[in-house]
């Protein structure tokens, strides 16, 4: 097995040999697995029939939906959830990373209960907000922070801060990159490959109903393409927003030196560098991805993992940029920003997510990746594993992915089958084939064994 570590702190295993899984085998298994799915989830089907009457698709975020209907959950504790059909499900999605501390983590509950004793919403300054801000600044090595309620708000405000600071409007983003549902970020989030031009010089794809403003799209891991874009348009570009490790296309690692070159180019062309750490954040390590990878952005956006499951997000960074919030040149408002319950979440997570605790979760993740890689090798599957921090994924390709076009060339039929196979055996990975598993602080050896053994059974079924 070839182990490639193409950037410090990241890991990827490529098998030495592989054989195709016949498409007809995949198609036959998909058919029988969908039949099994409907057989096992009758109450989720009923629940869906009821919920579609009051909500489009029966869900409150379109990501939660899949055809014919998603599983409906009644409770969650630790690393486990229970669905309306009474099945215990191992949660490896963990709220896209928001449940890093585990469901109903006792420290989170204790801090929230304490907060409830003293008030739910002040909408004025409070020591609890300052305490949370100090914790975030210390941990992520940033000068200042402002709290918001979602990752989408945070990326929107970070962009607006960059616009205020530079007096320029245009945004550069990565093809296939997702930064929330603010209009410019929906551009080329998952564009159809036949409508986006050359890989090295992509055309921005604007879905219906989106008013994007001026936006340029570049391939990830291509500093030359970024430089060409900056050269042509630097007088108009306010910022480049990028996930330091792409975690909305499985996991795509930065090439050696890529982020360092991005930093240099942003400095050279006077363009604000925003690292979107909504997904990486504490799942990358106890001080986030930027610290771990050693490249300092101008602004970062945070959400999900920093709040213990409460509704919380943030943006922040260097004082010289946050000064535009101070001066009022960048408008930032919000009734629920920094509310005491969310601040309790920050306090709890800061206490729980020690370097040791996250290193323990990472060791479990590494173990899962190693064991799954051995199974891939043993069964000569056309796949490889990728990991970063406490996240991992199986990518159905024998070559490493460097960008969106590579991702689109992977085998989506086996990816769907692998996800469905696990769902049918009580293991939840996120809806969508572009996600990854998360080993939270509530996962232990038992959960890792379940994940690995389930994959082993799947490998046997593919080769049967
Ligand atoms: C990288 C990234 N940025 C921003 C967002 C938006 O966050 P939210 O769903 O909290 O609005 C997401 C959501 O998944 C994300 O993955």
């Amino acid at each position: 097995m070839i182990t490639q570590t193409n950037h410090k702190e990241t890991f990827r295993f490529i098998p030495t040999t592989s054989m195709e899984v016949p498409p007809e085998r995949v198609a036959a298994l998909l058919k029988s697995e969908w039949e099994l799915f409907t057989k096992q989830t009758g109450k989720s089907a009923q629940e869906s029939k009821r919920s579609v009457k009051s909500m489009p698709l029966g869900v409150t975020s379109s990501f939660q939906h899949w055809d014919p209907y998603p599983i409906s959950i009644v409770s969650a504790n630790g690393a486990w959830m229970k669905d309306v059909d009474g099945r215990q499900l191992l949660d490896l999605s963990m709220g896209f990373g928001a449940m890093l501390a585990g469901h109903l983590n006792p420290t989170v509950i204790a801090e929230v209960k304490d907060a409830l004793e003293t008030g739910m919403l002040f909408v004025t300054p409070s020591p609890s907000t300052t305490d949370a801000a100090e914790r975030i600044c210390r941990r992520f090595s940033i000068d200042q922070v402002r709290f918001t309620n979602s990752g989408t708000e945070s990326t929107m405000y970070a962009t607006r801060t960059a616009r205020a600071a530079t007096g320029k409007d245009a945004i550069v983003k990565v093809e296939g990159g997702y930064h929330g549902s603010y209009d410019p970020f929906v551009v080329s989030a998952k564009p159809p490959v036949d409508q986006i031009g050359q890989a090295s010089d992509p055309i921005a794809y604007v879905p219906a109903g989106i008013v994007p403003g001026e936006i340029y799209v570049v391939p990830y891991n291509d500093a030359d393409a970024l430089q060409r874009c900056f050269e042509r348009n630097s007088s108009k570009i306010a910022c480049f927003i990028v996930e330091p490790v792409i975690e909305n296309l499985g996991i795509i690692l930065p090439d050696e030196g890529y982020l360092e070159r991005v930093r240099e180019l942003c400095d050279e062309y006077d363009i604000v560098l925003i690292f979107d750490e909504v997904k990486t954040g504490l799942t990358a390590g106890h001080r986030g991805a930027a610290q771990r990878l050693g490249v300092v952005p101008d602004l970062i956006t945070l959400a999900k993992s920093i709040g213990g499951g409460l509704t919380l997000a943030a943006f922040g960074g260097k004082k010289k940029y946050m000064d535009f919030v101070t001066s009022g040149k960048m408008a930032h408002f919000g009734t629920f920003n920094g509310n005491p319950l969310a601040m309790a979440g920050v306090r709890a997570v800061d206490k729980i997510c020690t370097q040791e605790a996250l290193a323990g979760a990472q060791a479990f993740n590494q173990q899962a990746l190693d064991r799954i890689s051995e199974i891939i090798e043993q069964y000569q599957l056309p796949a490889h594993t990728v990991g970063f921090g406490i996240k991992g994924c199986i990518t159905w390709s024998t070559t490493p992915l460097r960008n969106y076009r590579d991702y689109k060339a992977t085998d989506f039929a086996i990816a769907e089958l692998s996800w469905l196979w696990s769902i049918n055996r009580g293991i939840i990975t996120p809806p969508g084939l572009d996600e990854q598993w998360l080993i939270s602080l509530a996962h232990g050896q038992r959960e890792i064994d379940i994940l690995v053994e389930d994959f082993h059974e799947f490998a046997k079924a593919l080769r049967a």
Side-chain angles (χ1 to χ4, degrees), residues 61 63 96 149-155 177-181 185 241-243 245 247-248 276-280 301-304 312-313 435:
S61 160
F63 283 133
F96 298 118
N149 305 288
S150 72
T152 296
E153 274 183 69
S154 291
T155 50
Y178 179 71
H179 304 289
S181 47
F185 302 139
I241 184 164
V242 61
E243 283 189 279
V245 171
E247 293 194 347
N248 278 293
D276 181 355
E277 291 229 38
V278 165
K279 285 199 90 179
T280 52
T301 57
L302 297 162
K304 304 193 198 290
L312 173 77
E435 290 293 330

Side-chain angles (χ1 to χ4, degrees), residues 220-267:
Y220 186 65
N221 270 329
D222 188 342
D224 291 343
L226 186 68
Q227 182 164 17
R228 282 197 302 278
C229 175
F230 283 2
E231 250 163 30
R232 283 200 291 258
N233 309 295
S234 68
S235 63
K236 296 185 269 182
I237 298 170
C239 61
F240 175 45
I241 184 164
V242 61
E243 283 189 279
V245 171
I246 305 252
E247 293 194 347
N248 278 293
L249 302 171
I251 299 177
I252 301 188
L253 305 176
D255 285 351
E256 182 89 57
Y258 172 67
L259 294 175
E260 289 80 354
R261 184 71 189 127
V262 165
R263 176 67 276 178
E264 282 170 9
L265 288 170
C266 287
D267 288 340

Side-chain angles (χ1 to χ4, degrees), residues 44 65 69 86 153 177 191 213 221 231-232 236 243 261 265 283 288 305 319 336 345 347 367 393 424 431 440 456:
S44 279
H65 175 77
Y69 52 83
E153 274 183 69
N221 270 329
E231 250 163 30
R232 283 200 291 258
K236 296 185 269 182
E243 283 189 279
R261 184 71 189 127
L265 288 170
T283 74
S305 60
K319 185 170 176 306
F336 289 100
R347 218 160 40 242
Q367 186 203 125
C393 71
N424 281 342
S440 81
H456 196 176

Side-chain angles (χ1 to χ4, degrees), residues 276-311:
D276 181 355
E277 291 229 38
V278 165
K279 285 199 90 179
T280 52
L282 294 178
T283 74
H286 74 294
R287 306 187 66 207
Q291 298 295 312
R292 183 155 199 170
L293 299 173
V295 177
V296 181
D298 298 309
L299 294 169
I300 61 169
T301 57
L302 297 162
K304 304 193 198 290
S305 60
I306 60 166
L310 285 106
T311 309

Side-chain angles (χ1 to χ4, degrees), residues 26 394 396 410-420 433 458:
V26 176
I394 298 161
W396 290 93
T410 62
D411 190 329
F412 282 76
I414 305 193
E416 177 188 336
L417 178 60
S418 167
W419 163 79
L420 180 59
L433 306 177
F458 179 58

Side-chain angles (χ1 to χ4, degrees), residues 97-317:
M99 300 313 304
L100 160 63
H103 294 287
L104 297 181
N105 179 291
T107 309
V108 176
I109 291 174
E111 290 288 353
V112 170
K113 273 189 174 159
D114 273 2
L116 281 170
E117 299 286 322
T118 48
M120 287 179 74
L121 187 63
F122 309 140
V123 203
T124 60
S126 163
S128 72
T129 322
T130 310
D131 171 73
E134 286 168 356
R135 288 175 190 271
I136 294 286
C137 287
R138 207 165 37 235
R139 203 176 254 274
F140 293 95
S141 285
I142 53 176
D143 298 331
Q144 289 193 311
V145 68
R146 274 283 179 97
F147 291 111
T148 68
N149 305 288
S150 72
T152 296
E153 274 183 69
S154 291
T155 50
M156 179 185 81
Y157 281 120
T159 306
R160 191 184 285 173
T161 305
R163 285 173 166 161
T166 57
K168 301 185 276 182
D169 286 343
I171 298 171
V172 183
K173 77 176 282 282
V174 162
E175 187 175 65
Y178 179 71
H179 304 289
S181 47
Y182 174 45
D183 282 35
F185 302 139
V186 181
V187 172
S188 293
K190 288 271 162 38
V193 266
D194 57 348
Q195 292 179 47
I196 52 178
Q198 294 298 316
S200 60
D201 203 4
I203 297 169
Y205 176 80
V206 183
I210 295 298
V211 183
E214 193 154 5
I215 182 141
Y216 303 101
V217 175
V218 292
Y220 186 65
N221 270 329
D222 188 342
D224 291 343
L226 186 68
Q227 182 164 17
R228 282 197 302 278
C229 175
F230 283 2
E231 250 163 30
R232 283 200 291 258
N233 309 295
S234 68
S235 63
K236 296 185 269 182
I237 298 170
C239 61
F240 175 45
I241 184 164
V242 61
E243 283 189 279
V245 171
I246 305 252
E247 293 194 347
N248 278 293
L249 302 171
I251 299 177
I252 301 188
L253 305 176
D255 285 351
E256 182 89 57
Y258 172 67
L259 294 175
E260 289 80 354
R261 184 71 189 127
V262 165
R263 176 67 276 178
E264 282 170 9
L265 288 170
C266 287
D267 288 340
E268 200 178 318
Y269 289 89
D270 195 19
I271 286 163
V272 178
L273 176 59
I274 303 172
F275 274 179
D276 181 355
E277 291 229 38
V278 165
K279 285 199 90 179
T280 52
L282 294 178
T283 74
H286 74 294
R287 306 187 66 207
Q291 298 295 312
R292 183 155 199 170
L293 299 173
V295 177
V296 181
D298 298 309
L299 294 169
I300 61 169
T301 57
L302 297 162
K304 304 193 198 290
S305 60
I306 60 166
L310 285 106
T311 309
L312 173 77
F315 69 99

